[in-house]
Amino acid sequence: MQNNTPQEIWDVISKSKKPICCIDSRMDYDAFCSALLISELIEREFGVEVEITYTDDIPSDMKKKLSDLSKLVGKINFKLDPIDIDFDKYDLLIITDSGTKNHISADKDFKLPEDITIINIDHHNSNDFYGHYNYVFTYLSATAVLYDFIKKLNLKLDKRLATILSLGYLSDSGFLQYEGVRPDDYKNIAELMEDYGVVPSEVARLITFDESEDSIKCKQLVYKNASIDTDNRFVYSYITLDDFDEAGIDPKTKMRPLGIRGSDLLKGIDNTDYIFFIKQKPDNIYSVSFRSQSDKVDVSKIAEELNGGGHKMAAGGIVYDANSIREVVDKVIQAAKKTITI
């Protein structure tokens, strides 16, 4: 598979009269920031408004933080799943930060529309170049890929747009702490500081400061439900809808905007090679996030067995129609045994 050039993709975008951008169904800042940034650039450069959709809602604190950076947040069609969209009304579908081709939808039966041009901008190594036009590199974040795209087109940012980009870039990379950091990543952040006045401490405040009561409760549940299997060298935890109810937390709470990734909380435990965290959603759907602590364990391979994908050291999947946490755990273990050879 080969990437298109930024100019080839920009030329296609320039001809669109009715583009739509569907944000990946996972909840993180990189997905939202990459979608907002490219939509703002299209509106600025071509005077064309991009319709933006997301399959669910987001917490009010995250919505406020993003709204303070982009007026387009107020125009996002929340709670609109792509399976319910009539794509015949549009002439271009833009997808950013989605490592698998059907992951913009929460519906397992969703398939990408066939009669619309698709642009795919992403950073996951599980991405199979599903777009008609693709710009996919295994960088730290989709916003890192988008920054490369922007620079090659000689497009200019301002502090606000650069802060949107930095929010996605730094949040998805753990502030440049995760596996896969390149010298260019440090150079990019330095450029954003020098050229546009981005202040990383202000970005950090958006992500990590002002921790809510729900955030503390979620962390307590992650640790309370943790189990360690030293024989098979993994650790896992989970949060069910009943856990949310008993703790007085809205079950629609999204852990990632709260600054919590359940799998990250369990990293560093001795004698374990990988971690997974399960979160129950309505309708017997379970999201599973993975982290690897060993060069010998590629968690993206496990995730691919569970309707997902990602990176070697960090990935995510979805289990449908399970009746219990135990059933989900068993499915994950079966997938791990199928893919891990140590």
Side-chain angles (χ1 to χ4, degrees), residues 80-283:
L80 178 58
D81 194 280
I83 201 165
D84 298 318
I85 294 173
D86 180 4
F87 285 99
D88 290 339
K89 296 179 180 179
Y90 306 93
D91 58 12
L92 181 67
L93 171 58
I94 301 169
I95 303 174
T96 64
D97 197 31
S98 193
T100 54
K101 58 187 175 184
N102 298 323
H103 213 256
I104 57 173
S105 171
D107 194 303
K108 65 179 180 179
D109 295 322
F110 173 75
K111 302 295 180 185
L112 283 177
E114 297 180 354
D115 299 325
I116 188 172
T117 300
I118 298 172
I119 291 174
N120 165 34
I121 299 175
D122 187 42
H123 72 116
H124 295 93
N125 61 14
S126 58
N127 195 297
D128 65 358
F129 291 68
Y130 53 78
H132 298 97
Y133 295 86
N134 301 281
Y135 203 68
V136 179
F137 295 90
T138 54
Y139 296 164
L140 291 175
S141 64
T143 38
V145 175
L146 196 52
Y147 188 43
D148 178 75
F149 180 89
I150 288 167
K151 289 197 293 183
K152 287 179 178 175
L153 288 171
N154 294 314
L155 296 173
K156 298 301 180 183
L157 302 175
D158 55 25
K159 182 178 180 180
R160 182 181 62 81
L161 292 175
T163 300
I164 293 173
L165 191 152
S166 300
L167 177 57
Y169 204 139
L170 292 172
S171 65
D172 224 47
S173 65
F175 279 78
L176 307 185
Q177 295 182 78
Y178 295 161
E179 181 257 352
V181 176
R182 307 162 297 146
D184 280 348
D185 294 309
Y186 288 95
K187 293 176 184 176
N188 287 342
I189 297 302
E191 285 177 6
L192 292 166
M193 295 171 67
E194 293 172 353
D195 296 347
Y196 301 112
V198 168
V199 182
S201 62
E202 292 179 357
V203 177
R205 190 173 293 109
L206 288 171
I207 302 170
T208 59
F209 290 13
D210 302 320
E211 188 165 22
S212 68
E213 182 180 354
D214 279 354
S215 174
I216 300 294
K217 290 179 179 179
C218 284
K219 287 182 178 179
Q220 290 174 330
L221 288 170
V222 171
Y223 290 125
K224 175 186 174 183
N225 293 338
S227 295
I228 302 171
D229 187 327
T230 53
D231 291 336
N232 293 297
R233 301 184 61 83
F234 68 81
V235 57
Y236 75 90
S237 187
Y238 60 87
I239 296 182
T240 65
L241 294 178
D242 286 342
D243 288 330
F244 279 123
D245 185 56
E246 291 172 8
I249 303 170
D250 185 340
K252 292 183 179 180
T253 292
K254 306 293 185 181
M255 297 182 66
R256 296 181 81 170
L258 291 172
I260 304 169
R261 298 184 182 189
S263 48
D264 285 332
L265 292 176
L266 302 173
K267 288 169 65 175
I269 295 176
D270 286 342
N271 302 314
T272 57
D273 292 329
Y274 67 100
I275 302 110
F276 61 95
F277 172 76
I278 303 165
K279 179 185 173 186
Q280 185 182 16
K281 299 181 177 183
D283 302 319

